[in-house]
Amino acid sequence: MKIALYPGSFDPITNGHLDIIERALKIFDKLYVVISVNPEKKTLFTAKERQDILEEVLKEYPQIEIIENRVLTVQKAKEMNATHIVRGLRALTDFDYEFQMTNANRVLDKSIDTIFFMTDNQHAFLSSSAVKEIARFGGDISAFLPPYAAEKMLEKTKKSAQ
Ligand code: ADP
């Protein structure tokens, strides 16, 4: 059984993340979608809220399990018997960061490899941060997020505007 980990902030999951997940499922039998909890990083949604959104959006995929992670990604990969870490690539700007992370992970554990999927053109400029910015100004975010994530984003931005 081929097992992989797809770590990220997922604050919240976008159609770009979904695109990567669908590509990864063509190769891996089991995919752990991992919410990387980093207390240094400010997020709009709590880890529990992000988990709830991911559970709802990904409920039709029996091969997916959603978990939280507070340790190193390679450590979690080992623990879950995963051989690969999945990451997505958009524009060139992702490359530098991903290159550094992959190399660091390789030094930490060379038995775990990172595999990249290139996003569909239509998601190439899509990020959770851009969507949050659009939502903050009352823009229509429905084209960028799965419907449940869009609903939760609207609730959140309404609450913070009160
Ligand atoms: P992180 O904080 O770990 O970068 P993100 O949730 O922003 O978490 O992203 C997780 C992974 O998904 C990263 O590899 C990122 O490049 C990828 N990703 C994010 N948005 C997209 C997108 N629109 N298309 C493809 N990959 C994406």
Side-chain angles (χ1 to χ4, degrees):
M1 180 146 114
K2 292 199 198 104
I3 308 175
L5 227 66
Y6 179 29
S9 307
F10 303 108
D11 187 38
I13 180 173
T14 67
N15 291 337
H17 292 124
L18 213 47
D19 182 54
I20 300 303
I21 289 171
E22 278 165 0
R23 285 169 204 282
L25 286 179
K26 290 187 186 141
I27 296 184
F28 295 100
D29 306 300
K30 169 118 199 163
L31 184 68
Y32 288 98
V33 174
V34 180
I35 305 163
S36 306
V37 183
N38 178 357
E40 307 277 290
K41 206 166 166 179
K42 211 178 157 317
T43 54
L44 180 65
F45 292 95
T46 64
K48 199 175 166 305
E49 288 168 331
R50 285 179 275 157
Q51 171 114 20
D52 164 67
I53 297 170
L54 285 166
E55 298 278 1
E56 178 61 29
V57 171
L58 302 173
K59 67 179 178 201
E60 80 231 44
Y61 302 97
Q63 321 89 303
I64 293 182
E65 205 173 309
I66 295 137
I67 56 173
E68 258 184 37
N69 184 29
R70 292 166 196 275
V71 297
L72 286 171
T73 304
V74 283
Q75 204 174 322
K76 199 67 183 177
K78 262 262 146 66
E79 192 187 311
M80 307 320 279
N81 290 318
T83 51
H84 290 81
I85 293 170
V86 165
R87 296 286 288 175
L89 283 177
R90 289 163 288 190
L92 251 189
T93 41
D94 277 339
F95 185 80
D96 204 32
Y97 175 74
E98 296 294 342
F99 190 68
Q100 279 183 39
M101 282 301 295
T102 300
N103 278 296
N105 283 334
R106 213 171 256 172
V107 171
L108 292 169
D109 188 336
K110 62 177 182 313
S111 70
I112 309 280
D113 217 341
T114 305
I115 184 164
F116 294 93
F117 291 94
M118 229 164 23
T119 192
D120 195 274
N121 277 351
Q122 72 186 107
H123 307 307
F125 298 99
L126 172 57
S127 66
S128 303
S129 341
V131 178
K132 283 182 266 191
E133 192 76 10
I134 295 168
R136 199 175 311 131
F137 290 101
D140 181 8
I141 51 170
S142 58
F144 310 119
L145 300 181
Y148 186 74
E151 195 186 302
K152 291 289 153 186
M153 178 76 104
L154 280 179
E155 276 176 23
K156 188 66 108 179
T157 39
K158 261 188 213 144
K159 247 183 229 157
S160 55
Q162 276 166 6

